[in-house]
Amino acid sequence: MILVLALVVGIFGISTTYAAEPGAPEHSLRRVIQAYDIKPLPTKPFEETNKFKLGRAIFFDPIISGNRDISCATCHLLRRGTSDGLPFSSGTGAKGLAESRSLPPNRQQQPRNAPDLWNRDNNTVTSLFWDGRIEVKEQIRGSFGSPLGPDLPIGFDNLMAAQAIFPILREDELLGLPTDRSPTNLPSPHANLPNEIAASSEKLSRSEKVRKVSQIVLQRLLGSSGATSRSWQVEYRNLFGAAYPTTAIEDFSIIHVANALSHFQETAFATRNAPWDKYLRGDFSAIGDQAKRGALVFYGKGRCAICHSGPLFSDFKFHAIGVQNYGPGILNGRDLGRYHATNNPADKYKFRTPPLRNVTLTAPYFHNGSAETIDDAIELHMAPLFYADKYKESGEFMMDLEQIEAISPILVYSRINLTRQNYADLKTFLKTLEDRGLDNIQRIIPRTVPS
């Protein structure tokens, strides 16, 4: 049987149809690569700069959380593909890591799955988070839209840096509650201390809260003028001074913290040696025939590349694909996706197309972690109405009519029929997008942190 790869005008801008002989995927795949002008992912070299060292220390140091008990790395674990392996993340106050992490009943549950961090400095990334609430303003590169509006500080190096301050402002992430105290089992300089960050900012306006939280986080790191410096504060002063040698100690701000975090992440979490990229560079033995057949499914009959396009395999647009209502949600058990960022009814139930680099490492999937495996995630794309007539234990439908009607016509009317072999081939192709960064793991994960 002939495998037909139809590249449709208006979607891809290509009108050629290719026919591939069974068992000979190499020739067809090279023609697809040429037609799509597919190139290996460009990434920056791994350099352990002074700015990298500062960002690394902050990324792994729990000193920046209100209760001094979690860091950025708590929810972005390298061994879980820079996610955490949970349907929903658990912020300060929870215990354990990855699948063993648990949240006490009196704590607020994060309503969404922790996104991965791979390649987020790439120029194709125009928004972050599932609803894209942090985004580049197209008119002005370097200007960012966010829920903070005009209260977002100015001076971020890029989009990754702009988003870095939001976790410290959220009670269910790093900030915690005004009545919290740090755990009693922490080292003596940090144990059983009040959460002065949350307490001092509780009743402030939005703009005042941003300033106050930023100020206290910086004081935690660097100390205050006239006060006796702790050992970690001396170390951080040295790190800041080396990273920003022309900046006086009194001029450091949360901007410097965010920019260092961004620099660390874009260096540490870049996929440089994925088999797919090696193949695109000319090493035709880097992936096997099954992966090559999977690539033909991805770019052909599976129609995956309509949305999962570009070097990161995302169009960074927003689509509704029929994901079931699951988990706490944001509004009465529901998550309206992009609507929460735009208030545009046309955006209800739409979520940003997730990039697929290292996707096989970051289960569970979707904004609410409702797909436990990559198989589940793929199958939902092929059957977007699967949950349309399913019931919850309470007797309610898993999806209401509004949610069903929001599903993208790309999925509803495409009539994609994949064989079991197609599924297996497609999964094998997705695994060629893996690069765990293990070559540099010793330089990514520090043995200790300053605090």
Side-chain angles (χ1 to χ4, degrees), residues 6-16 36 303:
L7 309 182
V8 185
V9 174
I11 297 177
F12 303 113
I14 302 171
S15 58
T16 309
Y36 279 81
R303 304 186 72 188

Side-chain angles (χ1 to χ4, degrees), residues 14-327:
I14 302 171
S15 58
T16 309
T17 299
Y18 299 106
E21 296 179 4
E26 181 73 49
H27 179 66
S28 296
L29 182 54
R30 292 196 201 181
R31 294 179 69 190
V32 169
I33 289 169
Q34 183 179 13
Y36 279 81
D37 192 27
I38 301 172
K39 299 287 196 303
L41 177 69
T43 56
K44 298 173 183 176
F46 191 103
E47 295 180 323
E48 205 170 353
T49 65
N50 289 326
K51 196 172 181 180
F52 172 94
K53 293 175 183 177
L54 172 60
R56 177 177 59 193
I58 297 171
F59 186 86
F60 286 94
D61 199 331
I63 192 69
I64 64 171
S65 67
N67 293 328
R68 303 169 186 245
D69 61 341
I70 66 170
S71 67
C72 305
T74 304
C75 295
H76 298 287
L77 296 160
L78 198 57
R79 62 188 172 94
R80 290 292 180 270
T82 68
S83 186
D84 60 6
L86 295 167
F88 312 101
S89 295
S90 296
T92 183
K95 299 184 184 302
L97 286 175
E99 293 86 347
S100 66
R101 189 162 176 79
S102 60
L103 194 69
N106 64 329
R107 307 297 298 198
Q108 183 179 356
Q109 176 67 66
Q110 257 280 8
R112 288 180 177 157
N113 180 259
D116 69 88
L117 303 176
W118 300 104
N119 305 300
R120 291 307 184 263
D121 65 315
N122 190 278
N123 288 337
T124 60
V125 180
T126 54
S127 64
L128 296 172
F129 298 122
W130 285 102
D131 55 15
R133 62 187 181 274
I134 314 296
E135 56 189 327
V136 175
K137 290 185 178 178
E138 293 184 5
Q139 305 93 327
I140 312 172
R141 199 75 187 177
S143 179
F144 311 108
S146 81
L148 291 179
D151 296 321
L152 183 72
I154 297 172
F156 297 112
D157 286 344
N158 51 36
L159 192 63
M160 289 177 69
Q163 68 81 33
I165 72 164
F166 284 85
I168 66 173
L169 298 170
R170 287 183 60 106
E171 290 181 357
D172 56 356
E173 292 191 41
L174 295 177
L175 179 59
L177 303 174
T179 55
D180 284 345
R181 299 188 73 87
S182 60
T184 55
N185 61 350
L186 293 181
S188 58
H190 305 292
N192 197 29
L193 295 177
N195 184 342
E196 82 281 18
I197 303 179
S200 298
S201 60
E202 178 185 15
K203 299 179 180 179
L204 300 180
S205 66
R206 185 176 69 180
S207 60
E208 292 172 330
K209 180 176 182 177
V210 173
R211 285 194 294 270
K212 176 59 73 172
V213 170
S214 300
Q215 175 191 8
I216 300 176
V217 168
L218 207 66
Q219 287 175 352
R220 285 247 192 118
L221 293 171
L222 298 175
S224 303
S225 177
T228 302
S229 296
R230 297 282 193 171
S231 59
W232 73 82
Q233 293 168 343
V234 174
E235 187 171 347
Y236 269 117
R237 289 185 182 190
N238 292 332
L239 286 167
F240 272 84
Y244 303 102
T246 63
T247 303
I249 187 71
E250 62 271 12
D251 293 330
F252 286 122
S253 71
I254 201 67
I255 299 294
H256 297 92
V257 172
N259 287 340
L261 278 169
S262 171
H263 180 72
F264 165 73
Q265 291 173 76
E266 69 186 19
T267 302
F269 306 130
T271 57
R272 298 178 175 87
N273 295 305
W276 175 243
D277 294 307
K278 292 178 181 179
Y279 177 79
L280 293 176
R281 295 187 191 109
D283 180 359
F284 299 126
S285 65
I287 66 176
D289 282 351
Q290 184 172 20
K292 293 169 186 176
R293 292 195 301 269
L296 294 176
V297 173
F298 186 92
Y299 288 102
K301 68 182 290 188
R303 304 186 72 188
C304 311
I306 294 176
C307 301
H308 292 285
S309 57
L312 301 189
F313 296 86
S314 174
D315 60 3
F316 291 95
K317 295 180 181 178
F318 302 87
H319 307 277
I321 64 171
V323 177
Q324 62 172 305
N325 291 319
Y326 172 77

Side-chain angles (χ1 to χ4, degrees), residues 360-432:
T360 47
L361 305 176
T362 60
Y365 301 99
F366 303 138
H367 65 278
N368 55 15
S370 57
E372 293 185 4
T373 68
I374 194 70
D375 299 81
D376 297 335
I378 294 172
E379 289 186 6
L380 181 65
H381 286 78
M382 304 306 148
L385 296 175
F386 179 80
Y387 291 106
D389 59 353
K390 305 294 183 185
Y391 293 92
K392 297 179 181 179
E393 292 184 2
S394 63
E396 301 174 287
F397 280 112
M398 286 185 172
M399 297 172 61
D400 58 30
L401 183 60
E402 182 181 51
Q403 187 174 4
I404 295 169
E405 291 178 341
I407 298 174
S408 171
I410 295 172
L411 296 179
V412 173
Y413 302 117
S414 60
R415 301 188 180 212
I416 301 170
N417 294 308
L418 299 186
T419 66
R420 288 294 103 189
Q421 186 61 54
N422 290 154
Y423 275 101
D425 294 345
L426 183 56
K427 283 175 56 182
T428 302
F429 168 66
L430 292 176
K431 285 191 71 66
T432 72

